[in-house]
Amino acid sequence: MAIASPSAPSFSASSFCSTRTDSLPTGFTRFPSIAPPHAQRNRPHHHQHRRPGLALSARLNSSTPSGAGGSVSPNNGGDLQYELFYGFSPQRGRRGSPVFVTLPVDAVGPAGQVRRAKAMAQSFRALAAAGVEGVVMEVWWGLVERDRPRVYNWQGYLEIIALARRWGLKVRAVMAFHQCGTGPGDPHWIPLPLWVLEEIDKDPDLAFSDRFGRQNLEYISLGCDILPVLCGRSPIQAYTDFMRNFRDAFRPFFGAIITGIQVGMGPAGELRYPSCPSHKLTWAWRSRELGEFQCYDKYMLASLNACAREIGMREWGDGGPIGTGNLMHDPEHTDFFRSDKGSWKTPYGEFFLEWYSGMLLQHGERICRVAETIFRGTEVNTSAKVAGIHWHYGTESHPSELTAGYYNTSTRDGYLPIVRMFARYGFTLCCSCFEMKDSEEKQINSVSSPEGFLKQLLLAARVCDVPLEGENSTANLDDASFQQVVRMSKFDSDGLEKPSFSFNFVRMDKTMFEYQNWVRFTRFVRQMSNANIFRAKLSFGGDIQQFLTSRSDAKFGIAYAYC
């Protein structure tokens, strides 16, 4: 169901120099509500932490939601008559932090179908039995609006919602406006929509570029956020139309099944520049890379030039800083990042970093504003993610954070402005690194500090009264990693009367369901939730613990299915 896009905002060079000059896109269309009665109420403010129960309205038992354009059931309704009911709502008895599990990247295939549907159903059954609160479902722009602008295919995601409903799981949906993978040979390759790539072919400056002219296609350059460069629409308008269409197609499930919307704001869904290609962040030597400033496409340069002229320093607007060294340089051996007389502390360095980080903050504000408007009154929690870039946290200049757009140094808090922005729009903050320890990372890089980074971010969230979603950076399934997550979650929650922390485990794969890994994972879920969910009764009799110990396929069958 396509929706007319908002009219294109006007453009002037000076609009790049302010974080609040762009107006909210016009043209929002109000639709008659098709949500259950309880969903008509306004979405609660984030610090109320209201969590709807499992009760579904009669409308949700229908296999065809109004306006969705198709069935929500993998087999057109028959299977949906079989439901898993708990003896009580897990949310009512929960005293700790709920755990969600992120689905495989390729949960939905290129044609819009659920991949490995039988294995997925088994997985959901096991997750429900383990007491997991729900799943995180990445909704890829490159799959849903793949071939033509404003033509959306939600079928595979509707089927995932049906599976979640059957097994009593909640869903957090991620609006994934970024590329996944390194190229067509990558098994997890999901590019931007094909029609967007055609526009980038016509105008390569729609992609980010570094000082060497290397392009990055993970995310559209935020320098053209409000310019009509995508078949007459701006990127912000394209994201807006996508989210609005998602809201209308999935509205019946908001509050009862879909409880959260994470809005992608950059590469890997994180509010940052692609200073380091996302796939490199999993490499062992990632902890030494400085990153590259992404300000050399014509749209970013136009903004920089306009801001430099505005303060009477035209020579500052020709490009990024010089003297930043190569990617693997020691920052102390560079002119820009070094602690002693580094040019990051000069008036020029401060100007550039204020502009560079300000552009990122402006981008986040635009998306927060439209997302808050779109999902207002739907009883879903909105969130956004900040990257966990910690490998130069122990230096004065924090170079890898600076190139990613976080103006965070030993003398300046670069995360507090971002968290304050999330607070203004009622967003939850999502961040990773919860399983990482300084003692281990410093063996690779002495100036790395994931715990230091994370504590700074958690303190900013507490100051601004912003709830938190934690994530792991790598899918470690050892007890030490799980215990570190528990420890850091307690750091966030200690002293709070009503803690508001939840955890997204990234991600579900075949190794997760191997016996020893599964035992460790379910023990972790119990520690986090701190509720007696393992004795919940099933409608077919017996309890979940008996089900787990008596059914070998719950432990091993899914792992084989994912091979």
Side-chain angles (χ1 to χ4, degrees), residues 238-312:
Y239 306 149
T240 300
D241 288 346
F242 184 92
M243 289 189 286
R244 189 193 293 117
N245 200 274
F246 175 86
R247 176 201 64 191
D248 296 329
F250 291 82
R251 189 193 292 265
F253 309 104
F254 285 167
I257 299 174
I258 300 175
T259 58
I261 304 289
Q262 185 181 120
V263 185
M265 296 185 175
E270 300 164 337
L271 180 62
R272 65 173 174 88
Y273 291 98
S275 53
C276 178
S278 294
H279 69 275
K280 282 188 178 182
L281 301 183
T282 62
W283 295 0
W285 54 269
R286 75 190 187 285
S287 57
R288 302 178 187 272
E289 186 161 324
L290 300 176
E292 289 285 353
F293 289 109
Q294 303 292 308
C295 59
Y296 290 87
D297 64 82
K298 67 182 181 183
Y299 300 105
M300 292 291 287
L301 285 175
S303 169
L304 177 60
N305 186 263
C307 290
R309 284 183 297 165
E310 192 172 275
I311 63 170

Side-chain angles (χ1 to χ4, degrees), residues 356-375:
Y356 190 67
S357 62
M359 288 286 285
L360 187 68
L361 197 65
Q362 182 178 6
H363 175 71
E365 180 113 17
R366 286 169 174 153
I367 295 183
C368 281
R369 190 181 304 149
V370 296
E372 192 279 331
T373 302
I374 290 169
F375 296 111

Side-chain angles (χ1 to χ4, degrees), residues 45-365:
H45 192 266
H46 62 81
H47 57 61
Q48 290 178 287
H49 312 309
R50 289 182 54 187
R51 300 175 56 82
L54 287 174
L56 305 180
S57 75
R59 181 180 295 275
L60 297 190
N61 292 324
S62 168
S63 62
T64 306
S66 174
S71 168
V72 302
S73 170
N75 62 359
N76 284 326
D79 276 352
L80 289 185
Q81 300 306 312
Y82 178 72
E83 303 281 348
L84 176 66
F85 291 98
Y86 289 98
F88 62 91
S89 171
Q91 291 77 14
R92 296 172 189 161
R94 190 182 300 281
R95 299 185 299 275
S97 302
V99 175
F100 287 72
V101 174
T102 305
L103 298 180
V105 169
D106 60 348
V108 174
Q113 80 287 4
V114 174
R115 301 189 62 184
R116 301 180 297 272
K118 291 183 179 180
M120 190 71 70
Q122 287 181 312
S123 302
F124 277 41
R125 186 182 190 186
L127 293 177
V132 167
E133 178 81 354
V135 296
V136 179
M137 174 181 76
E138 291 158 319
V139 183
W140 294 97
W141 186 30
L143 296 182
V144 173
E145 198 179 354
R146 181 175 181 268
D147 298 311
R148 289 185 295 164
R150 304 186 197 179
V151 177
Y152 307 96
N153 178 11
W154 304 109
Q155 184 60 34
Y157 299 104
L158 288 164
E159 293 176 8
I160 289 176
I161 296 296
L163 285 175
R165 181 178 73 170
R166 176 189 299 177
W167 299 112
L169 295 172
K170 305 299 185 186
V171 174
R172 284 176 173 168
V174 178
M175 304 289 100
F177 298 118
H178 58 282
Q179 167 189 295
C180 179
T182 57
D186 190 324
H188 296 149
W189 171 241
I190 302 175
L192 299 180
L194 299 182
W195 59 273
V196 171
L197 295 179
E198 291 174 1
E199 295 303 309
I200 294 177
D201 286 341
K202 298 174 188 176
D203 182 2
D205 285 289
L206 298 181
F208 283 108
S209 180
D210 65 15
R211 58 185 166 140
F212 301 107
R214 294 175 298 199
Q215 287 188 310
N216 186 295
L217 296 177
E218 291 186 65
Y219 193 75
I220 297 174
S221 170
L222 54 84
C224 55
D225 261 358
I226 59 175
L227 303 181
V229 294
L230 298 179
C231 301
R233 292 186 296 169
S234 70
I236 294 295
Q237 288 174 328
Y239 306 149
T240 300
D241 288 346
F242 184 92
M243 289 189 286
R244 189 193 293 117
N245 200 274
F246 175 86
R247 176 201 64 191
D248 296 329
F250 291 82
R251 189 193 292 265
F253 309 104
F254 285 167
I257 299 174
I258 300 175
T259 58
I261 304 289
Q262 185 181 120
V263 185
M265 296 185 175
E270 300 164 337
L271 180 62
R272 65 173 174 88
Y273 291 98
S275 53
C276 178
S278 294
H279 69 275
K280 282 188 178 182
L281 301 183
T282 62
W283 295 0
W285 54 269
R286 75 190 187 285
S287 57
R288 302 178 187 272
E289 186 161 324
L290 300 176
E292 289 285 353
F293 289 109
Q294 303 292 308
C295 59
Y296 290 87
D297 64 82
K298 67 182 181 183
Y299 300 105
M300 292 291 287
L301 285 175
S303 169
L304 177 60
N305 186 263
C307 290
R309 284 183 297 165
E310 192 172 275
I311 63 170
M313 302 295 292
R314 297 185 61 174
E315 64 272 21
W316 287 358
D318 295 332
I322 60 174
T324 56
N326 293 323
L327 290 177
M328 300 304 293
H329 268 180
D330 182 335
E332 297 303 324
H333 296 162
T334 69
D335 292 332
F336 188 79
F337 296 121
R338 68 186 184 188
S339 300
D340 180 29
K341 297 181 180 181
S343 53
W344 62 277
K345 294 188 285 190
T346 65
Y348 163 74
E350 292 172 355
F351 160 79
F352 175 82
L353 294 172
E354 286 278 5
W355 166 80
Y356 190 67
S357 62
M359 288 286 285
L360 187 68
L361 197 65
Q362 182 178 6
H363 175 71
E365 180 113 17

Side-chain angles (χ1 to χ4, degrees), residues 21-42:
T21 56
D22 57 302
S23 61
L24 180 67
T26 59
F28 284 96
T29 305
R30 301 295 182 189
F31 290 84
S33 176
I34 55 176
H38 69 272
Q40 300 299 318
R41 299 189 295 270
N42 287 335

